[in-house]
Amino acid sequence: MEKVKNRWLIAASAVGIHISIGSVYAWSVYTKPLIEKFGWELADTQFTFSLAIFFLGISAAFLGHYLEKKGPRKSGLLAAIFFGVGIIGSGIAIHLESLYLLYLFYGVFGGVGLGLGYITPVSTLVKWFPDKRGLATGLAIMGFGFAALISSPVIVYLIAAVGIANTFFIMGSIYFILILMSSLYLAPPPKDWLPEGFKEITKTGKKVLKSDLSQLTANEAVKTKRFWYLWLMLFINISCGIAIISVASPMAQEYAGMGVVAAATMVGLMGLFNGAGRIGWATLSDFIGRPLIFALFFSIQIIAFFLLPSAGNALIFQVLIFLILSCYGGGFSTVPAYIGDMFGTKELGAIHGYILTAWAAAGMAGPLFAAWVRSISNSYNGTLYFFAGLLVIALFLSVLTILEIRKLKKRKVAIHAKKQTKAILS
């Protein structure tokens, strides 16, 4: 009989993968050295990051089925290859002074590794933690959010010590080894597996394992209204968060009168709240439910976005920004558990991949929306009110999702009762 793996080591493996691929959030530390070395424009270097996020969403959608067919170990190994080649290849691009090769390696290869590496451990964790889905996915995706805090100082040191190209070679090798080693431990739980002692607790009635709303394939899930409600909610949540991230520093200086250094410090702390929100909100969702958590995200952010233009006090301004960033991070970590609740674990990886196309779209749309509204209104006020309006739509969608779930639960109970009656009569 095969020994059952330790689910907490599975979680640790997931964190290892996400800390590696989450280093994409440290891209900004490469920007200035690249501009100084080659004279490239800021827009040219920023496009590298946008391209990587775009391919994250696209590859997650297309390779989700590969994950379901081949399993998390092979999927993780493929992610290690793509991401490792992407980062190491970026070093070759720098050595050859080719911006287009940088787009190819970091943006395309690295982006594909990002997408596959993102969904692989998360879909596995949901299956290992039927009792703590939010906590489990929050742990892994917290690693993605905190990764830049770990990798940024290392990258800055290496660039100064060995140069940009060698930094890519070193970091790419480290990421490849870490993702590879983490992936080797990944595996789905045995069929009908439950945590040790959990069956006994459920029998006594002290704990109840909530059953999933349905067990759908990815192609069945995309035909439901609740899939598209969730897609739009995530798209709006990410668009609003990215928009704030892209203009936080100048906005702090304009609204709250903060100095350049103070605003930069605030931007650093935003990363902490982004990461903390991923574990905090996702864990809370295990207790109060995913539908209510999403409704809270949007309610909090609507208030925050409306209050920001009049927040002249630096402390109040920062509190509002940190609340928005915690909801932004929480959206990422709560979504996988929400998918499991609504569609089951049958093809969770593939469904998660489809949902993440919202990230790809928002990564392009959020900053563009912010820049466009700013250009026509010549003020951040219009930008903030525009996104507050989008969040009102998201809140409405969250209510529609709650109503849809209630309707489906009633139908499920009715079908179960009908089957029981039929069994008694027969």
CSV table of all heavy atoms in Angstrom, one decimal, residues 21-22 24-25 27 46-60 106-108 110-112 114-115 144 238 242 328 332 356-364:
chain,number,residue,atom,x,y,z
A,21,ILE,N,8.1,31.8,-8.9
A,21,ILE,CA,7.5,32.5,-10.1
A,21,ILE,C,7.0,33.9,-9.7
A,21,ILE,O,6.9,34.7,-10.5
A,21,ILE,CB,6.3,31.6,-10.6
A,21,ILE,CG1,5.2,31.4,-9.6
A,21,ILE,CG2,6.8,30.3,-11.2
A,21,ILE,CD1,3.9,30.7,-10.2
A,22,GLY,N,6.7,34.1,-8.4
A,22,GLY,CA,6.3,35.4,-7.9
A,22,GLY,C,7.3,36.4,-8.0
A,22,GLY,O,7.0,37.6,-7.9
A,24,VAL,N,8.4,37.6,-10.5
A,24,VAL,CA,8.0,38.4,-11.6
A,24,VAL,C,7.6,39.8,-11.1
A,24,VAL,O,7.8,40.8,-11.8
A,24,VAL,CB,6.9,37.8,-12.5
A,24,VAL,CG1,5.6,37.8,-11.7
A,24,VAL,CG2,6.7,38.5,-13.8
A,25,TYR,N,7.1,39.9,-9.9
A,25,TYR,CA,6.7,41.2,-9.3
A,25,TYR,C,7.9,42.0,-8.9
A,25,TYR,O,7.8,43.2,-8.6
A,25,TYR,CB,5.9,41.0,-8.0
A,25,TYR,CG,4.4,40.8,-8.3
A,25,TYR,CD1,3.6,40.1,-7.4
A,25,TYR,CD2,3.8,41.3,-9.5
A,25,TYR,CE1,2.2,39.9,-7.7
A,25,TYR,CE2,2.4,41.1,-9.7
A,25,TYR,CZ,1.7,40.4,-8.8
A,25,TYR,OH,0.3,40.2,-9.1
A,27,TRP,N,10.2,42.7,-11.1
A,27,TRP,CA,10.7,43.1,-12.4
A,27,TRP,C,11.2,44.6,-12.4
A,27,TRP,O,12.2,45.0,-13.1
A,27,TRP,CB,9.6,43.0,-13.5
A,27,TRP,CG,10.1,43.6,-14.8
A,27,TRP,CD1,9.6,44.8,-15.3
A,27,TRP,CD2,11.1,43.2,-15.7
A,27,TRP,NE1,10.2,45.1,-16.5
A,27,TRP,CE2,11.2,44.1,-16.8
A,27,TRP,CE3,11.9,42.1,-15.7
A,27,TRP,CZ2,12.1,44.0,-17.8
A,27,TRP,CZ3,12.8,41.9,-16.8
A,27,TRP,CH2,12.9,42.9,-17.8
A,46,GLN,N,8.9,48.1,-19.6
A,46,GLN,CA,7.6,47.7,-18.9
A,46,GLN,C,6.8,46.7,-19.7
A,46,GLN,O,6.1,45.9,-19.1
A,46,GLN,CB,6.8,49.0,-18.6
A,46,GLN,CG,7.3,49.8,-17.5
A,46,GLN,CD,7.4,49.1,-16.1
A,46,GLN,OE1,8.4,48.5,-15.8
A,46,GLN,NE2,6.3,49.2,-15.4
A,47,PHE,N,6.9,46.8,-21.0
A,47,PHE,CA,6.2,45.9,-21.9
A,47,PHE,C,6.6,44.4,-21.6
A,47,PHE,O,5.8,43.5,-21.8
A,47,PHE,CB,6.4,46.2,-23.4
A,47,PHE,CG,5.6,45.4,-24.3
A,47,PHE,CD1,4.2,45.5,-24.4
A,47,PHE,CD2,6.2,44.4,-25.1
A,47,PHE,CE1,3.5,44.7,-25.2
A,47,PHE,CE2,5.5,43.6,-26.0
A,47,PHE,CZ,4.1,43.7,-26.0
A,48,THR,N,7.8,44.2,-21.2
A,48,THR,CA,8.3,42.9,-20.9
A,48,THR,C,7.5,42.3,-19.8
A,48,THR,O,7.1,41.1,-19.9
A,48,THR,CB,9.8,42.9,-20.4
A,48,THR,OG1,10.6,43.7,-21.3
A,48,THR,CG2,10.4,41.6,-20.3
A,49,PHE,N,7.2,43.1,-18.7
A,49,PHE,CA,6.4,42.6,-17.6
A,49,PHE,C,5.0,42.3,-18.1
A,49,PHE,O,4.4,41.3,-17.7
A,49,PHE,CB,6.4,43.7,-16.5
A,49,PHE,CG,5.5,43.4,-15.3
A,49,PHE,CD1,5.9,42.4,-14.4
A,49,PHE,CD2,4.3,44.0,-15.2
A,49,PHE,CE1,5.0,42.1,-13.3
A,49,PHE,CE2,3.4,43.7,-14.2
A,49,PHE,CZ,3.8,42.8,-13.2
A,50,SER,N,4.4,43.3,-18.8
A,50,SER,CA,3.0,43.1,-19.3
A,50,SER,C,2.9,41.9,-20.1
A,50,SER,O,1.9,41.2,-20.0
A,50,SER,CB,2.6,44.4,-20.1
A,50,SER,OG,2.6,45.5,-19.3
A,51,LEU,N,3.9,41.6,-21.0
A,51,LEU,CA,3.8,40.4,-21.8
A,51,LEU,C,3.9,39.1,-21.0
A,51,LEU,O,3.1,38.2,-21.3
A,51,LEU,CB,5.1,40.4,-22.8
A,51,LEU,CG,5.0,39.6,-24.0
A,51,LEU,CD1,3.8,40.1,-24.9
A,51,LEU,CD2,6.3,39.7,-24.8
A,52,ALA,N,4.7,39.1,-19.9
A,52,ALA,CA,4.8,38.0,-19.0
A,52,ALA,C,3.4,37.7,-18.4
A,52,ALA,O,3.0,36.5,-18.3
A,52,ALA,CB,5.9,38.2,-18.0
A,53,ILE,N,2.8,38.7,-17.9
A,53,ILE,CA,1.5,38.6,-17.2
A,53,ILE,C,0.4,38.1,-18.2
A,53,ILE,O,-0.4,37.3,-17.9
A,53,ILE,CB,1.0,39.9,-16.5
A,53,ILE,CG1,2.0,40.3,-15.4
A,53,ILE,CG2,-0.4,39.8,-16.0
A,53,ILE,CD1,2.1,39.3,-14.3
A,54,PHE,N,0.5,38.7,-19.4
A,54,PHE,CA,-0.5,38.3,-20.5
A,54,PHE,C,-0.3,36.8,-20.8
A,54,PHE,O,-1.3,36.0,-20.8
A,54,PHE,CB,-0.2,39.1,-21.8
A,54,PHE,CG,-1.1,38.6,-22.9
A,54,PHE,CD1,-2.4,39.0,-23.0
A,54,PHE,CD2,-0.5,37.9,-24.0
A,54,PHE,CE1,-3.2,38.6,-24.1
A,54,PHE,CE2,-1.3,37.5,-25.0
A,54,PHE,CZ,-2.7,37.8,-25.1
A,55,PHE,N,0.9,36.3,-20.9
A,55,PHE,CA,1.1,34.9,-21.2
A,55,PHE,C,0.9,34.0,-20.0
A,55,PHE,O,0.6,32.8,-20.2
A,55,PHE,CB,2.5,34.6,-21.8
A,55,PHE,CG,2.6,34.8,-23.3
A,55,PHE,CD1,3.0,36.0,-23.8
A,55,PHE,CD2,2.3,33.8,-24.1
A,55,PHE,CE1,3.0,36.2,-25.2
A,55,PHE,CE2,2.3,33.9,-25.5
A,55,PHE,CZ,2.7,35.2,-26.0
A,56,LEU,N,0.9,34.6,-18.8
A,56,LEU,CA,0.5,33.8,-17.6
A,56,LEU,C,-0.9,33.4,-17.8
A,56,LEU,O,-1.3,32.2,-17.6
A,56,LEU,CB,0.7,34.7,-16.4
A,56,LEU,CG,0.4,34.1,-15.0
A,56,LEU,CD1,1.1,34.9,-13.9
A,56,LEU,CD2,-1.1,34.1,-14.7
A,57,GLY,N,-1.8,34.4,-18.1
A,57,GLY,CA,-3.2,34.1,-18.2
A,57,GLY,C,-3.5,33.2,-19.3
A,57,GLY,O,-4.3,32.2,-19.2
A,58,ILE,N,-2.9,33.4,-20.5
A,58,ILE,CA,-3.2,32.6,-21.7
A,58,ILE,C,-2.7,31.2,-21.5
A,58,ILE,O,-3.4,30.2,-21.8
A,58,ILE,CB,-2.5,33.2,-22.9
A,58,ILE,CG1,-3.1,34.6,-23.2
A,58,ILE,CG2,-2.7,32.3,-24.1
A,58,ILE,CD1,-4.6,34.7,-23.4
A,59,SER,N,-1.5,31.0,-21.0
A,59,SER,CA,-1.0,29.6,-20.8
A,59,SER,C,-1.7,28.9,-19.7
A,59,SER,O,-1.9,27.7,-19.8
A,59,SER,CB,0.5,29.7,-20.5
A,59,SER,OG,0.7,30.4,-19.3
A,60,ALA,N,-2.2,29.6,-18.7
A,60,ALA,CA,-3.0,28.9,-17.6
A,60,ALA,C,-4.2,28.4,-18.2
A,60,ALA,O,-4.7,27.3,-17.8
A,60,ALA,CB,-3.3,29.9,-16.5
A,106,TYR,N,11.8,36.3,-21.5
A,106,TYR,CA,11.1,36.7,-20.2
A,106,TYR,C,9.6,36.8,-20.4
A,106,TYR,O,8.9,36.3,-19.5
A,106,TYR,CB,11.6,38.1,-19.7
A,106,TYR,CG,11.3,38.3,-18.3
A,106,TYR,CD1,12.3,38.1,-17.3
A,106,TYR,CD2,10.1,38.8,-17.9
A,106,TYR,CE1,12.0,38.3,-15.9
A,106,TYR,CE2,9.8,39.1,-16.5
A,106,TYR,CZ,10.7,38.8,-15.6
A,106,TYR,OH,10.4,39.0,-14.2
A,107,GLY,N,9.2,37.4,-21.5
A,107,GLY,CA,7.7,37.6,-21.7
A,107,GLY,C,7.0,36.4,-22.1
A,107,GLY,O,6.0,36.0,-21.5
A,108,VAL,N,7.5,35.6,-23.1
A,108,VAL,CA,6.8,34.5,-23.6
A,108,VAL,C,7.1,33.2,-22.8
A,108,VAL,O,6.3,32.6,-22.2
A,108,VAL,CB,7.1,34.3,-25.1
A,108,VAL,CG1,6.3,33.1,-25.6
A,108,VAL,CG2,6.7,35.5,-25.9
A,110,GLY,N,9.0,32.8,-20.1
A,110,GLY,CA,8.8,33.0,-18.6
A,110,GLY,C,7.3,33.1,-18.3
A,110,GLY,O,6.9,32.6,-17.3
A,111,GLY,N,6.5,33.7,-19.2
A,111,GLY,CA,5.1,33.9,-18.9
A,111,GLY,C,4.4,32.5,-19.0
A,111,GLY,O,3.5,32.3,-18.1
A,112,VAL,N,4.8,31.6,-19.9
A,112,VAL,CA,4.2,30.3,-19.9
A,112,VAL,C,4.5,29.5,-18.7
A,112,VAL,O,3.7,28.9,-18.1
A,112,VAL,CB,4.7,29.5,-21.2
A,112,VAL,CG1,4.2,28.1,-21.1
A,112,VAL,CG2,4.2,30.2,-22.5
A,114,LEU,N,5.1,30.9,-15.8
A,114,LEU,CA,4.3,31.5,-14.8
A,114,LEU,C,2.9,30.9,-14.7
A,114,LEU,O,2.4,30.6,-13.6
A,114,LEU,CB,4.2,33.0,-15.1
A,114,LEU,CG,5.3,34.0,-14.5
A,114,LEU,CD1,5.1,35.3,-15.2
A,114,LEU,CD2,5.2,34.1,-13.0
A,115,GLY,N,2.3,30.8,-15.8
A,115,GLY,CA,0.9,30.4,-15.9
A,115,GLY,C,0.8,28.9,-15.4
A,115,GLY,O,-0.1,28.6,-14.6
A,144,PHE,N,3.4,33.9,-3.6
A,144,PHE,CA,3.5,34.6,-4.8
A,144,PHE,C,3.6,36.1,-4.5
A,144,PHE,O,4.3,36.9,-5.1
A,144,PHE,CB,2.3,34.3,-5.7
A,144,PHE,CG,2.5,34.8,-7.2
A,144,PHE,CD1,3.0,33.9,-8.1
A,144,PHE,CD2,2.1,36.1,-7.5
A,144,PHE,CE1,3.1,34.4,-9.5
A,144,PHE,CE2,2.3,36.5,-8.8
A,144,PHE,CZ,2.8,35.7,-9.8
A,238,ILE,N,-9.0,42.9,-10.0
A,238,ILE,CA,-7.6,43.0,-10.4
A,238,ILE,C,-7.3,44.3,-11.1
A,238,ILE,O,-6.3,45.0,-10.9
A,238,ILE,CB,-7.2,41.8,-11.4
A,238,ILE,CG1,-7.2,40.5,-10.6
A,238,ILE,CG2,-5.7,42.0,-11.9
A,238,ILE,CD1,-7.1,39.3,-11.5
A,242,ILE,N,-4.5,46.9,-9.8
A,242,ILE,CA,-3.4,47.2,-10.6
A,242,ILE,C,-3.3,48.7,-10.9
A,242,ILE,O,-2.3,49.3,-11.0
A,242,ILE,CB,-3.4,46.4,-12.0
A,242,ILE,CG1,-3.0,45.0,-11.7
A,242,ILE,CG2,-2.5,47.0,-13.0
A,242,ILE,CD1,-3.1,44.1,-12.9
A,328,TYR,N,-7.2,43.2,-3.1
A,328,TYR,CA,-6.6,42.8,-4.3
A,328,TYR,C,-5.9,41.5,-4.2
A,328,TYR,O,-6.1,40.5,-5.0
A,328,TYR,CB,-5.6,43.9,-4.8
A,328,TYR,CG,-4.7,43.5,-5.9
A,328,TYR,CD1,-5.1,43.5,-7.2
A,328,TYR,CD2,-3.3,43.2,-5.7
A,328,TYR,CE1,-4.3,43.2,-8.3
A,328,TYR,CE2,-2.5,42.9,-6.8
A,328,TYR,CZ,-3.0,42.9,-8.1
A,328,TYR,OH,-2.2,42.6,-9.1
A,332,PHE,N,-7.1,36.9,-5.4
A,332,PHE,CA,-6.3,35.9,-6.0
A,332,PHE,C,-6.4,34.6,-5.2
A,332,PHE,O,-6.5,33.5,-5.8
A,332,PHE,CB,-4.8,36.3,-6.2
A,332,PHE,CG,-4.6,37.3,-7.2
A,332,PHE,CD1,-4.2,38.6,-6.9
A,332,PHE,CD2,-4.7,36.9,-8.6
A,332,PHE,CE1,-3.9,39.5,-7.9
A,332,PHE,CE2,-4.4,37.9,-9.6
A,332,PHE,CZ,-4.1,39.1,-9.3
A,356,LEU,N,-8.2,32.6,-14.9
A,356,LEU,CA,-7.0,33.5,-14.9
A,356,LEU,C,-6.8,34.3,-16.2
A,356,LEU,O,-6.0,35.2,-16.2
A,356,LEU,CB,-5.8,32.7,-14.6
A,356,LEU,CG,-5.6,32.2,-13.1
A,356,LEU,CD1,-4.3,31.4,-13.0
A,356,LEU,CD2,-5.7,33.3,-12.2
A,357,THR,N,-7.6,34.0,-17.2
A,357,THR,CA,-7.6,34.9,-18.4
A,357,THR,C,-8.0,36.3,-18.0
A,357,THR,O,-7.7,37.3,-18.6
A,357,THR,CB,-8.4,34.3,-19.5
A,357,THR,OG1,-9.8,34.1,-19.1
A,357,THR,CG2,-7.9,33.0,-20.1
A,358,ALA,N,-8.8,36.4,-16.9
A,358,ALA,CA,-9.2,37.7,-16.4
A,358,ALA,C,-8.0,38.5,-15.9
A,358,ALA,O,-8.0,39.7,-16.0
A,358,ALA,CB,-10.2,37.5,-15.2
A,359,TRP,N,-7.0,37.8,-15.4
A,359,TRP,CA,-5.8,38.4,-14.9
A,359,TRP,C,-5.0,39.0,-16.2
A,359,TRP,O,-4.5,40.1,-16.1
A,359,TRP,CB,-4.9,37.4,-14.2
A,359,TRP,CG,-3.7,38.0,-13.5
A,359,TRP,CD1,-3.3,39.3,-13.4
A,359,TRP,CD2,-2.8,37.3,-12.6
A,359,TRP,NE1,-2.2,39.5,-12.6
A,359,TRP,CE2,-1.9,38.2,-12.1
A,359,TRP,CE3,-2.7,35.9,-12.3
A,359,TRP,CZ2,-0.8,37.9,-11.3
A,359,TRP,CZ3,-1.6,35.6,-11.5
A,359,TRP,CH2,-0.7,36.5,-11.0
A,360,ALA,N,-5.0,38.2,-17.2
A,360,ALA,CA,-4.3,38.6,-18.4
A,360,ALA,C,-5.0,39.9,-19.0
A,360,ALA,O,-4.3,40.9,-19.4
A,360,ALA,CB,-4.3,37.5,-19.5
A,361,ALA,N,-6.3,39.8,-19.0
A,361,ALA,CA,-7.1,41.0,-19.6
A,361,ALA,C,-6.9,42.2,-18.7
A,361,ALA,O,-6.7,43.3,-19.1
A,361,ALA,CB,-8.5,40.6,-19.7
A,362,ALA,N,-7.0,42.0,-17.3
A,362,ALA,CA,-6.9,43.1,-16.4
A,362,ALA,C,-5.5,43.7,-16.4
A,362,ALA,O,-5.3,44.9,-16.2
A,362,ALA,CB,-7.3,42.6,-15.0
A,363,GLY,N,-4.5,42.9,-16.6
A,363,GLY,CA,-3.1,43.4,-16.6
A,363,GLY,C,-2.9,44.4,-17.7
A,363,GLY,O,-2.1,45.3,-17.6
A,364,MET,N,-3.6,44.2,-18.8
A,364,MET,CA,-3.5,45.1,-19.9
A,364,MET,C,-4.5,46.3,-19.7
A,364,MET,O,-4.1,47.4,-19.9
A,364,MET,CB,-3.9,44.4,-21.2
A,364,MET,CG,-2.9,43.3,-21.6
A,364,MET,SD,-1.3,44.1,-22.2
A,364,MET,CE,-0.4,42.6,-22.8
